[in-house]
Amino acid sequence: MDKGVFPCPYLPLKPSFFKITFLFQVFLIFTIPVFSIDKEDIGERYIATKEFTYWIDTKSNTGVDKVLAEGKFKSVQDEFANFGFLKGTLWLRLDPEKFPDPTKFPLLLIQAHNIDLVELYHKHDGDSFIVSKSGHIQPMFQREIPHRNFVFRLGHQKETILIAIKSDISLQFSVVFTNQRNLQREDYLTQWVYGLFFGSLGIIILYNLAIAFFVRDKSYFFYIGYVFFFGLGQLSLLGFWGYFFVPNSYYWKRVGIPVFFSICLFFFVLFTANFLKIKARLPRTSRLYQLLGAFSLFNVCIALFGGIAEASIGVSWLSVSICVTLFGMLVWGLKKRIRSFYYISIAFFLLLLTCIVYGLLKFGILPSNSFLEEMLFPIASLADITLFAFALADRIQLLRQEKDMALAQVTSLRRERKISRDILMQSLPKTSPDVKGLQIQIYIQPMKDVGGDFYEYYSPNPYELGIVLCDVSGHGIPASLISAMGKVAFTTQKDSISSPKQVLEGMNRVLFGNCSPQYVTASYLYLNSSTNVWRFGRAGHPSAFLQRTSGEIIKVHPKGKIIGVFPEIQIDEITYPVFPKDRILLLSDGVLECFDPKGNMFGDAGLIDFLKTNRELPNHLFKGKLIQELESFSNREIKDWEDDLTFIFLELV
């Protein structure tokens, strides 16, 4: 992902949304205890969990008629019973003397949201048991009273009642006697609070989704995935998923909790790993952390293929493992004083405490209650989610500052490079050589701001010309400075104008030790139009091409090492007689190393074909025609090339 441009740089930095979210969390913390109704509340709700006795049928093979006779019932110790991951069937028993007033409390509420099967057995004016069924296995609107919890209508029971409970998911519940008015009242209050909670999650998702499309940061998309599946997990945990979304699907009501929370953990791993750049900073720990994320997806598969109990246990263990691993990474980051670790650390320690408490509740190690079961995780997680959003906003702020600094540096560098380019272009010869019997076309196009190609010539009289074409390795300001030194080195060799060997070897002696670690390639041409003598030498530079009047093309390629690397070099020179209408082409590697969109190089073959095709082209049109050919071959304009382009075309007349 490219983080270079932010079309809306101020969007993620507005604090008002986060302030509203924090105020809402404070509101929840202080108002939810008011909404939780205890047994003294206006006499319409009676928590009777401790009035029941229980027996666990580990094999689930005891019929209801034998339960009373064979079951070894024990007292329930807590008003919010916690049996953890239970194997078998849990039987609850309530004797008649403990029944509350049936006219005041006609409803029996099993306050839990994720029970596979609840069966209420009672007798009414007969010897046989009457059974009422609820739980995930029972479609929502086939239950006696449709509700996100499990509600039964009792009437006037006069004999012992039995309740059978089976669940693959950790089992925590309370048993409450109530009435229709109080049930509706509680539903109104709780759904109002949960509506605010899930509405906040929805706003967070939409807000950060808008930011994600602006900044194109993967961390935002991972964060959105984490919040979205956390919200779905909470819908399942609180019973709203089964009540509103899949009321008739036994399968999807059962798999909701392990599937959604496992995917939530997967996105949490991706978000924190990407945001904290764990792969680059702690590569070994990153592999373990990513493995836990992969296990989260594997846990999803376990749940989808029927391993509900195993997947639910897996969620608890994965939560603990991920938290422990992240704890170690955060300690490291805090010691290194890395700013991006701060917000995550604050959120993590809150999440860690919540996960530990939640895990202990699920395994039955800590006593639980309805408030802890329902609201501990949502409130703490909403605070975490908001802190994570703060962390992302802070990161965007840092990236924006870094971007501004980078732009300032780039602007300064471009200004310097432009100055250097101007110096280079100003240092090039202002006029073309004027030699009798010779027509010359010269073209030089530096790469973008600053190039490494340059040329210089010396003509002591109307018939002689010495011209050097050089290419400095690399580009930019260093190449420009070495180009300037190369021009000075050439001026020291004017007495040897007729010998390419002496000129190039002399330039090497001047530049050796002054251009490290860069180097210079060069070609040198001497031409005498009165004696028709042409000499050529090269120092690591591309070949020259001599095209006769007949159309014959000679590739001239004498031996010679690069300049500036070795204290002494050996340059070979080649002499050819030339005649009117003969053409000579000197060039830099930018011409030959031109590539088409498929990666094919123009090369010697392409250049030779061009020379053959355009043998009769007038000299003054040659430059434009070659540029047009190269642009057509590369499918790009010359100004967009990554390399310098320089060539010198001479024709005897």
Side-chain angles (χ1 to χ4, degrees):
M1 179 193 61
D2 185 4
K3 303 184 181 67
V5 179
F6 304 128
C8 187
Y10 295 97
L11 181 59
L13 305 177
K14 291 178 65 176
S16 57
F17 169 74
F18 301 119
K19 290 180 179 178
I20 293 171
T21 306
F22 263 127
L23 289 174
F24 169 64
Q25 292 169 25
V26 173
F27 171 77
L28 282 181
I29 293 171
F30 285 101
T31 56
I32 286 174
V34 176
F35 294 149
S36 60
I37 304 170
D38 60 25
K39 65 173 67 178
E40 303 297 331
D41 186 24
I42 70 173
E44 294 185 346
R45 190 176 199 269
Y46 172 55
I47 300 177
T49 314
K50 295 172 70 174
E51 304 298 332
F52 282 79
T53 55
Y54 75 93
W55 173 62
I56 300 174
D57 179 11
T58 56
K59 296 183 179 180
S60 298
N61 60 0
T62 305
V64 63
D65 294 325
K66 296 182 179 181
V67 169
L68 291 174
E70 298 180 4
K72 298 179 180 179
F73 285 85
K74 302 177 183 178
S75 297
V76 178
Q77 300 298 318
D78 300 304
E79 289 184 349
F80 194 82
N82 188 348
F83 290 92
F85 291 94
L86 180 68
K87 296 294 184 180
T89 302
L90 175 68
W91 287 93
L92 298 176
R93 169 180 171 173
L94 184 65
D95 295 324
E97 62 271 15
K98 296 183 180 180
F99 288 175
D101 183 354
T103 61
K104 192 174 183 179
F105 302 106
L107 300 180
L108 176 65
L109 169 68
I110 307 295
Q111 191 167 343
H113 315 299
N114 297 283
I115 297 178
D116 294 331
L117 176 64
V118 184
E119 294 179 328
L120 174 66
Y121 294 90
H122 58 95
K123 292 182 179 180
H124 184 67
D125 296 335
D127 294 330
S128 61
F129 281 99
I130 300 172
V131 60
S132 299
K133 293 185 178 181
S134 189
H136 288 331
I137 198 170
Q138 193 79 356
M140 185 63 64
F141 296 104
Q142 291 182 16
R143 299 178 186 177
E144 188 174 0
I145 298 179
H147 197 272
R148 68 187 183 98
N149 294 303
F150 311 103
V151 185
F152 300 94
R153 196 179 302 278
L154 289 179
H156 299 278
Q157 281 72 20
K158 297 180 181 179
E159 296 188 32
T160 298
I161 64 173
L162 294 172
I163 301 174
I165 298 176
K166 294 181 182 179
S167 181
D168 284 336
I169 296 182
S170 182
L171 183 59
Q172 293 89 26
F173 63 89
S174 63
V175 183
V176 179
F177 286 97
T178 186
N179 55 43
Q180 189 70 34
R181 185 180 72 169
N182 188 67
L183 187 65
Q184 291 175 348
R185 175 172 171 268
E186 289 185 13
D187 285 347
Y188 173 79
L189 293 175
T190 55
Q191 290 180 22
W192 186 81
V193 172
Y194 289 134
L196 290 176
F197 170 72
F198 288 110
S200 296
L201 291 184
I203 293 172
I204 288 172
I205 290 173
L206 292 176
Y207 183 82
N208 286 280
L209 186 63
I211 297 173
F213 281 109
F214 277 117
V215 302
R216 303 290 181 180
D217 189 334
K218 288 189 293 185
S219 295
Y220 268 96
F221 292 102
F222 295 151
Y223 170 75
I224 291 167
Y226 160 63
V227 176
F228 177 73
F229 283 100
F230 169 78
L232 290 180
Q234 286 298 323
L235 284 172
S236 296
L237 188 66
L238 298 171
F240 295 109
W241 170 253
Y243 186 82
F244 289 109
F245 297 96
V246 288
N248 299 317
S249 175
Y250 173 56
Y251 174 80
W252 284 109
K253 279 187 282 191
R254 295 182 74 228
V255 304
I257 289 179
V259 166
F260 293 142
F261 278 119
S262 293
I263 300 176
C264 172
L265 290 174
F266 171 72
F267 277 106
F268 179 78
V269 168
L270 291 180
F271 163 64
T272 50
N274 185 267
F275 180 82
L276 299 175
K277 300 179 181 179
I278 299 300
K279 187 175 182 179
R281 289 167 171 162
L282 296 167
R284 293 184 179 178
T285 307
S286 174
R287 287 192 287 269
L288 171 61
Y289 199 52
Q290 291 174 348
L291 184 62
L292 291 174
F295 280 148
S296 298
L297 290 183
F298 180 68
N299 203 54
V300 173
C301 298
I302 293 175
L304 292 176
F305 286 98
I308 305 299
E310 293 79 5
S312 299
I313 295 172
V315 169
S316 297
W317 280 113
L318 282 168
S319 299
V320 173
S321 300
I322 289 171
C323 284
V324 170
T325 307
L326 183 58
F327 175 78
M329 294 188 294
L330 290 176
V331 169
W332 176 87
L334 292 175
K335 287 183 177 179
K336 296 290 184 178
R337 297 184 178 181
I338 303 174
R339 178 169 172 172
S340 59
F341 281 71
Y342 293 162
Y343 277 110
I344 299 295
S345 297
I346 297 171
F348 167 77
F349 288 118
L350 177 59
L351 182 64
L352 176 62
L353 179 62
T354 305
C355 287
I356 292 173
V357 173
Y358 186 73
L360 295 176
L361 290 174
K362 286 297 180 183
F363 284 105
I365 298 174
L366 288 181
S368 188
N369 57 63
S370 58
F371 173 74
L372 282 177
E373 180 67 18
E374 289 198 0
M375 295 310 302
L376 173 66
F377 217 144
I379 294 177
S381 298
L382 186 58
D384 283 334
I385 287 168
T386 306
L387 286 168
F388 291 152
F390 269 118
L392 286 168
D394 184 66
R395 176 178 179 176
I396 297 303
Q397 175 71 10
L398 287 174
L399 290 175
R400 189 164 69 92
Q401 293 174 355
E402 292 174 0
K403 174 197 167 190
D404 292 341
M405 292 177 61
L407 286 176
Q409 292 175 352
V410 168
T411 301
S412 176
L413 180 60
R414 284 180 177 174
R415 187 183 301 112
E416 293 177 1
R417 294 176 72 176
K418 183 179 183 302
I419 294 173
S420 180
R421 181 182 187 275
D422 292 343
I423 293 174
L424 173 64
M425 297 304 291
Q426 288 295 324
S427 67
L428 294 175
K430 300 298 186 294
T431 59
S432 296
D434 185 13
V435 178
K436 290 184 177 181
L438 187 66
Q439 293 182 342
I440 301 176
Q441 293 287 319
I442 299 176
Y443 180 82
I444 181 167
Q445 174 66 45
M447 182 200 78
K448 296 181 180 178
D449 294 327
V450 180
D453 285 4
F454 70 93
Y455 76 95
E456 188 58 271
Y457 73 89
Y458 177 61
S459 180
N461 56 65
Y463 302 99
E464 289 185 285
L465 172 66
I467 188 166
V468 65
L469 174 59
C470 299
D471 182 5
V472 181
S473 63
H475 298 280
I477 295 175
S480 177
L481 296 176
I482 295 175
S483 297
M485 288 191 291
K487 293 171 66 66
V488 173
F490 174 71
T491 60
T492 64
Q493 308 301 315
K494 290 182 178 180
D495 293 340
S496 306
I497 181 177
S498 62
S499 172
K501 174 182 174 65
Q502 294 181 22
V503 169
L504 295 177
E505 290 179 355
M507 289 180 64
N508 178 73
R509 285 189 289 271
V510 174
L511 292 177
F512 174 71
N514 294 317
C515 58
S516 179
Q518 293 174 283
Y519 58 89
V520 179
T521 66
S523 59
Y524 179 77
L525 168 152
Y526 168 75
L527 183 64
N528 191 318
S529 60
S530 64
T531 60
N532 292 332
V533 172
W534 173 54
R535 295 190 183 98
F536 178 71
R538 52 176 290 277
H541 207 73
S543 308
F545 292 86
L546 171 63
Q547 187 174 29
R548 297 295 189 183
T549 304
S550 63
E552 177 191 8
I553 297 175
I554 302 171
K555 179 181 178 181
V556 185
H557 191 77
K559 295 180 179 180
K561 292 183 178 181
I562 58 177
I563 291 173
V565 177
F566 308 102
E568 294 292 338
I569 59 174
Q570 294 295 321
I571 300 295
D572 292 344
E573 63 180 47
I574 295 179
T575 302
Y576 281 96
V578 287
F579 307 98
K581 300 300 180 180
D582 284 351
R583 293 178 166 183
I584 301 168
L585 180 63
L586 305 182
L587 46 84
S588 66
D589 57 5
V591 176
L592 302 176
E593 295 177 2
C594 168
F595 292 89
D596 68 10
K598 296 181 179 179
N600 301 313
M601 189 169 72
F602 189 69
D604 290 349
L607 182 63
I608 290 172
D609 287 342
F610 173 80
L611 292 174
K612 288 180 179 179
T613 303
N614 296 277
R615 177 65 187 86
E616 303 301 326
L617 187 72
N619 180 277
H620 68 281
L621 298 178
F622 181 88
K623 178 170 65 175
K625 186 67 175 179
L626 180 56
I627 293 172
Q628 181 183 354
E629 178 75 13
L630 294 174
E631 288 183 331
S632 175
F633 181 82
S634 66
N635 198 28
R636 288 184 301 169
E637 294 184 16
I638 294 294
K639 64 184 180 63
D640 296 328
W641 282 23
E642 289 80 15
D643 200 0
D644 304 328
L645 179 66
T646 306
F647 60 85
I648 301 173
F649 182 67
L650 306 95
E651 182 175 7
L652 279 83
V653 294

